[in-house]
Amino acid sequence: MSNTAISPAAMHAVLRQLPQMSGKIVDDTRHEKVLSYMRLFLASPDAIAKLSEWDALQVLSSCLQQPSDYRVSAVAIRFLGDIVSAPGALSLWHSVASEPHGVLRWVAENVDSQHALLRFSCLYFVRMAASIDDARVAEFLDQQLDYPRYITRRLLDAGSYFVVAEACKLLGALVCRHGQLDRPLCDLFHTLVARPFASQSAARKLAVLAAASTLYGTDDAQVHRMGLQTLTVDKLAPYLFASDRLVRDRALDVLENTLRLADDPECLATVVCILTTHINDASVSSKVRAATVLRILAAVVKESPVNRNWVGVEAVATTCKAIVGMALALLCTANDMDAEPTERADLAEVYQFLGSLIDPMTQQGARSSILCEAARIVREYTTFDQHVVSVLFQLLDHKQVQANVQLLHLVLDSIVRSLRRGAKHSASGFSHLLALPGIITNFAIRAPGLKVLFDLAQEVIRDQNDYDVGLFAKFCSSLVQSIRERLADVEWEARDTALEFVSSVVRHLGWPKARCLFSPHTAHTSLIDDAALALDDPEEYVRASGAQLLAIIVDYAHEEEEEGDAEIVRVISGHKRLCRDGLAALLNDSEAFVKRAAFDLVYSLGTAAMAGRTETYEWVYSLSYPKLYQTADDPDFEVRVRCAKLLALLCRCWLRQEEEEEEEEEVEEGRTRFAATDKVADLQPGSLLIDMCRDASRYVRRVCVDELLQMKRDLGPPLSAENKSDAASLDGGNAGEMHLSKRQTVVQNHAALFYQKLCAIDFARLEGSLTAEHLYQEALDTQVERELMAESKAPNEGNNILDCY
């Protein structure tokens, strides 16, 4: 049984008690939890058969006769909708449609209920029923509901946004059935739009726009065509410049859909004509008019290239380029830069109107808003244009732009998008990318903008095979220098972002592509030195990111074993900041997330040492038994998880045996390893790991059990000392060889004792306590029917038995 499965017994109990659910429950979400619970059961394979066996229709129909608590009726009718629309439930629909339970009659009587929840629930049931391929569905919709009028009333429902949203879904489900447009619903939309805008109520305006969005959101081309022909751009114009902000926002969404779906490119000319008509409308403030004009132009630039019908149409590309040029001219004029005024006569009046509002004497708030909207237009431009990029670079260095954080990030985002497009579609695109490291060193750009730049840099590294080798090497060298400069930033967020970028490159692109940041021509140890210095940063987030970066490099730097990779690992493991005292201080950090990263780093160094990729064992000497004992009981379970993994690694190091005798010149190295093994034995990792099997967190217990089981399998029943032949006789070896043989015997004896401890553990019982069902399946199965349906009288005590959802 999965952790979301509902047992039939528990479901039957909930269903039986639903009609008697207490009407005194104050928390309405309890009813939604009951519905969610029952829907989970409906997903099981035999749900319909079980519901038929329990006569669920009779139980649910009885809930509809509960006038004292409409919430129970709302749950019942929605669950009925789920049932009748489920696969294989056609017989249940026939039972509902034959009216022995009065369900359809109840729905018809309550579609206009005073309670918004009931109106919403009835809409939901009708939409579910409409998905059934049965003649009685059409009869129900036509005769009992008069669905066009019904949908109209609900679209105009000013009492609930959710009711209107559900009415839109029903409209979308019914407007085109069996490949044919529903003529009554088409007439409904035409009637909504036909009323003059000035005489429309606020609810009707929103209903028109909601219906249009629904029609454009369908997958049927004939529905799109009907919507475009009914709500033309001319008719949409008053909504775009309405005094109500919500109406304007919804109208802009509709306009974007119109531009994406329209067939005739002349639609763009109509849009521009509308702008020149409405910019002088005194009924709306100049600030609102300016913002609306710019957002409309942004929609044109954004959606026109997406329209499949307009691909390759020169007039569309020319219009978009002219709009972007006008936006750039506004930005340049506002920042005292040379600007090229627009040459388009139809945009000249718009440019003059907007230019009058960005005068330095203008109210600063309006000026800033206009400039940000102009920058958004440039950001939406999907064509790489060297002139546009050059102007954006000039704006980025302008003090007035840097002083406006929002405008700065919009300009920066525009540059990044242009460079990203240029790198793919222009021969000179990569030469512009060479300017990226220089932008990164602009200290006016804060952490959010820095992350955008680093995302683009990561894409360049990902696609390095597409670029010239020499240019890419130059890019990497400049990039590393830029990263190092930002690691010296006075703002900790920038330092943290730079470290996370390098970690992301290594983790997500792999070492073969990330190697360019650590190659000799980029001074490959420089970033390692900076990451090590970050371990002493006063900001805990930077310390954690530095430790995480070093751990990731150690983990990934052996993927292809090329020359220099092993050296990088040795540089990290032998770094003076990663000596035993330095690592011990990091493990003792006061912040839990720093300790997590510290344990990750020590674990990575230990794994590298076990694999023979480093010869230092400083990571072992940074540990102590009191520290491990204390960490095994750390309040943060993530720290305890990492502690358990490290203890398992120490166990494997402790139990490691030599498979063959070392050559004479390697004896000293073996003795060094044995000295570290003695230190590991003093840490008692096996005992601590076994004790952690009693941890309160099942995640910690899972790590302990998995690691111990693996060690038990690896050890197997150890051979007794009597059956072993002595690997080094006194006649045949020197003192070093005899020392190795004695060490093997000691380790083998330790292994035998540890194996006996493992055999004494009841792993079956431990495994049983690790499943999610063990934690709350019992609550779902045995307590739900007792606690969910009644209200507790104890103060400040809620019945949250289903909060696991």
Side-chain angles (χ1 to χ4, degrees):
M1 182 182 293
S2 69
N3 58 2
T4 57
I6 307 300
S7 70
M11 175 62 190
H12 194 194
V14 171
L15 188 63
R16 276 199 325 270
Q17 297 187 44
L18 183 60
Q20 288 80 40
M21 193 171 181
S22 173
K24 297 180 180 180
I25 297 176
V26 177
D27 185 6
D28 291 344
T29 62
R30 295 269 296 281
H31 299 78
E32 300 305 313
K33 290 177 181 178
V34 172
L35 179 60
S36 174
Y37 185 88
M38 295 192 297
R39 281 172 170 168
L40 281 175
F41 176 77
L42 194 58
S44 58
D46 59 343
I48 298 300
K50 286 290 184 183
L51 291 170
S52 300
E53 178 185 335
W54 298 334
D55 198 7
L57 294 185
Q58 179 61 43
V59 176
L60 293 171
S61 61
S62 67
C63 295
L64 303 180
Q65 315 306 322
Q66 297 284 337
S68 59
D69 194 351
Y70 66 90
R71 297 171 298 178
V72 174
S73 301
V75 169
I77 195 62
R78 277 182 282 165
F79 189 55
L80 268 171
D82 292 327
I83 291 175
V84 297
S85 61
L90 189 59
S91 60
L92 292 178
W93 161 250
H94 289 159
S95 179
V96 169
S98 60
E99 286 292 343
H101 306 292
V103 173
L104 300 185
R105 184 175 63 256
W106 182 90
V107 170
E109 292 171 354
N110 287 271
V111 291
D112 297 316
S113 170
Q114 62 176 331
H115 301 293
L117 181 59
L118 279 185
R119 299 198 299 274
F120 168 80
S121 300
C122 289
L123 278 167
Y124 181 85
F125 175 85
V126 174
R127 181 164 63 88
M128 292 295 102
S131 65
I132 304 171
D133 188 10
D134 184 74
R136 278 175 280 194
V137 172
E139 180 182 340
F140 168 61
L141 293 173
D142 290 334
Q143 299 181 8
Q144 293 187 254
L145 286 184
D146 189 7
Y147 67 96
R149 292 178 178 272
Y150 172 46
I151 293 176
T152 302
R153 293 196 303 273
R154 295 288 69 82
L155 285 173
L156 296 171
D157 196 319
S160 172
Y161 164 79
F162 299 100
V163 172
V164 175
E166 190 61 36
C168 288
K169 292 180 182 179
L170 180 58
L171 172 63
L174 296 178
V175 69
C176 186
R177 288 184 291 172
H178 309 296
Q180 297 293 326
L181 285 176
D182 188 284
R183 185 49 51 190
L185 289 181
C186 293
D187 294 339
L188 175 157
F189 184 59
H190 185 272
T191 302
L192 284 174
V193 174
R195 178 174 292 187
F197 177 81
S199 63
Q200 291 182 13
S201 63
R204 191 179 187 92
K205 294 173 185 175
L206 293 175
V208 170
L209 299 172
S213 296
T214 300
L215 297 177
Y216 294 150
T218 64
D219 297 328
D220 196 290
Q222 56 183 336
V223 175
H224 300 162
R225 201 156 37 248
M226 182 272 292
L228 293 170
Q229 292 172 355
T230 304
L231 184 61
T232 61
V233 175
D234 289 327
K235 293 180 180 178
L236 183 62
Y239 299 90
L240 291 167
F241 289 89
S243 57
D244 189 334
R245 180 175 180 177
L246 181 58
V247 174
R248 293 199 305 271
D249 291 343
R250 298 278 181 85
L252 280 166
D253 293 337
V254 174
L255 177 64
E256 289 188 356
N257 287 319
T258 301
L259 293 170
R260 189 174 65 252
L261 299 172
D263 296 328
D264 188 0
E266 289 298 321
C267 175
L268 291 182
T270 305
V271 171
V272 174
C273 181
I274 287 172
L275 298 182
T276 56
T277 303
H278 285 80
I279 55 176
N280 298 317
D281 185 0
S283 63
V284 184
S285 69
S286 59
K287 180 180 177 180
V288 170
R289 275 179 281 151
T292 302
V293 166
L294 289 167
R295 291 179 67 186
I296 291 172
L297 293 174
V300 172
V301 174
K302 176 184 176 182
E303 298 297 340
S304 297
V306 181
N307 191 322
R308 296 179 180 178
N309 302 315
W310 296 353
V311 175
V313 178
E314 185 177 354
V316 174
T318 302
T319 299
C320 291
K321 185 174 182 178
I323 292 173
V324 172
M326 185 189 72
L328 278 176
L330 287 171
L331 291 169
C332 292
T333 301
N335 291 283
D336 302 324
M337 295 169 54
D338 293 335
E340 297 181 5
T342 179
E343 298 177 358
R344 288 277 296 257
D346 51 355
L347 291 174
E349 187 176 351
V350 176
Y351 177 73
Q352 291 176 1
F353 166 70
L354 296 173
S356 65
L357 298 178
I358 59 173
D359 187 273
M361 302 302 293
T362 307
Q363 187 180 10
Q364 190 62 30
R367 184 173 186 270
S368 175
S369 174
I370 292 171
L371 294 179
C372 288
E373 293 295 344
R376 287 191 178 93
I377 292 177
V378 182
R379 184 183 62 177
E380 299 297 344
Y381 194 42
T382 58
T383 302
F384 178 76
D385 189 309
Q386 295 191 31
H387 171 69
V388 172
V389 175
S390 300
V391 174
L392 289 172
F393 274 130
Q394 296 175 39
L395 286 169
L396 192 63
D397 293 330
H398 204 279
K399 291 183 179 180
Q400 292 185 34
V401 174
Q402 293 177 359
N404 187 332
V405 176
Q406 185 181 12
L407 180 59
L408 173 65
H409 285 154
L410 285 168
V411 172
L412 181 63
D413 199 16
S414 301
I415 291 175
V416 169
R417 292 191 183 197
S418 295
L419 292 179
R420 184 178 285 121
R421 287 187 290 266
K424 292 294 184 183
H425 303 107
S426 173
S428 60
F430 189 75
S431 62
H432 283 85
L433 284 173
L434 293 176
L436 181 60
I439 304 175
I440 291 174
T441 57
N442 186 334
F443 284 85
I445 299 173
R446 307 291 179 85
L450 198 58
K451 187 178 186 309
V452 173
L453 293 172
F454 280 141
D455 287 343
L456 177 58
Q458 184 166 329
E459 292 178 18
V460 174
I461 296 173
R462 181 195 64 197
D463 301 330
Q464 56 187 264
N465 296 332
D466 299 338
Y467 307 129
D468 177 78
V469 175
L471 286 176
F472 181 73
K474 182 180 178 181
F475 172 83
C476 288
S477 180
S478 301
L479 179 62
V480 169
Q481 186 59 37
S482 300
I483 295 170
R484 299 195 69 192
E485 289 188 31
R486 294 316 294 256
L487 286 173
D489 200 304
V490 294
E491 293 189 351
W492 70 265
E493 293 97 336
R495 302 196 300 273
D496 184 62
T497 301
L499 290 168
E500 287 183 345
F501 161 68
V502 182
S503 298
S504 177
V505 170
V506 178
R507 183 189 295 113
H508 295 121
L509 302 185
W511 185 252
K513 290 186 178 294
R515 187 185 289 111
C516 61
L517 297 178
F518 305 92
S519 55
H521 66 267
T522 59
H524 62 283
T525 61
S526 58
L527 284 179
I528 294 174
D529 290 336
D530 289 338
L533 287 175
L535 302 181
D536 295 319
D537 197 277
E539 177 58 45
E540 56 269 19
Y541 291 100
V542 180
R543 296 198 299 274
S545 295
Q548 200 67 52
L549 172 56
L550 292 172
I552 289 172
I553 295 173
V554 173
D555 289 339
Y556 283 80
H558 65 285
E559 286 185 350
E560 293 191 0
E561 297 292 347
E562 287 197 7
E563 183 180 356
D565 292 353
E567 176 63 23
I568 289 176
V569 177
R570 284 194 290 269
V571 167
I572 294 176
S573 60
H575 199 282
K576 61 182 180 180
R577 179 56 185 82
L578 300 183
C579 63
R580 62 188 69 180
D581 294 335
L583 289 173
L586 197 63
L587 290 168
N588 287 321
D589 199 280
S590 60
E591 296 293 340
F593 51 86
V594 179
K595 284 194 284 189
R596 296 176 196 171
F599 271 94
D600 287 339
L601 176 56
V602 173
Y603 183 86
S604 298
L605 292 172
T607 303
M610 291 286 288
R613 294 189 289 121
T614 177
E615 300 173 2
T616 179
Y617 282 82
E618 289 292 288
W619 65 278
V620 174
Y621 293 101
S622 68
L623 304 169
S624 65
Y625 177 80
K627 175 59 183 174
L628 291 173
Y629 183 84
Q630 180 184 8
T631 307
D633 197 31
D634 193 275
D636 186 83
F637 85 93
E638 289 280 7
V639 173
R640 301 199 304 275
V641 166
R642 287 161 172 78
C643 180
K645 291 181 179 179
L646 181 59
L647 289 172
L649 178 66
L650 291 169
C651 284
R652 289 193 289 272
C653 180
W654 174 48
L655 297 171
R656 183 176 181 179
Q657 302 181 40
E658 301 300 326
E659 297 181 355
E660 58 184 17
E661 294 184 354
E662 305 285 352
E663 295 182 3
E664 183 175 354
E665 60 268 25
E666 295 176 336
V667 170
E668 288 302 323
E669 180 185 341
R671 286 175 177 169
T672 302
R673 186 160 50 248
F674 291 146
T677 305
D678 287 339
K679 170 65 176 176
V680 172
D682 294 339
L683 299 176
Q684 303 180 38
S687 299
L688 287 174
L689 188 61
I690 292 174
D691 289 342
M692 290 188 74
C693 288
R694 296 193 292 267
D695 195 276
S697 169
R698 68 185 177 99
Y699 298 104
V700 178
R701 298 198 303 274
R702 166 58 66 190
V703 172
C704 297
V705 170
D706 288 347
E707 295 288 357
L708 290 173
L709 275 173
Q710 185 60 46
M711 282 187 273
K712 183 179 179 182
R713 286 190 289 266
D714 292 343
L715 286 172
L719 296 175
S720 62
E722 304 84 52
N723 296 333
K724 293 194 184 82
S725 59
D726 195 2
S729 63
L730 294 177
D731 318 333
N734 57 31
E737 292 171 338
M738 183 171 66
H739 173 73
L740 291 174
S741 299
K742 288 181 179 179
R743 295 292 313 183
Q744 288 175 345
T745 302
V746 171
V747 171
Q748 289 164 356
N749 289 336
H750 282 310
L753 292 173
F754 187 61
Y755 182 77
Q756 291 176 6
K757 289 183 179 181
L758 294 180
C759 290
I761 298 175
D762 186 356
F763 284 105
R765 181 184 63 81
L766 289 175
E767 285 279 2
S769 70
L770 297 176
T771 60
E773 288 86 348
H774 175 79
L775 299 179
Y776 55 80
Q777 190 65 51
E778 182 179 355
L780 290 176
D781 287 345
T782 63
Q783 298 180 31
V784 65
E785 66 270 17
R786 187 169 65 253
E787 297 185 10
L788 186 65
M789 301 303 180
E791 179 67 19
S792 172
K793 295 182 180 180
N796 301 321
E797 182 179 320
N799 300 113
N800 298 315
I801 198 62
L802 291 183
D803 277 357
C804 56
Y805 294 122

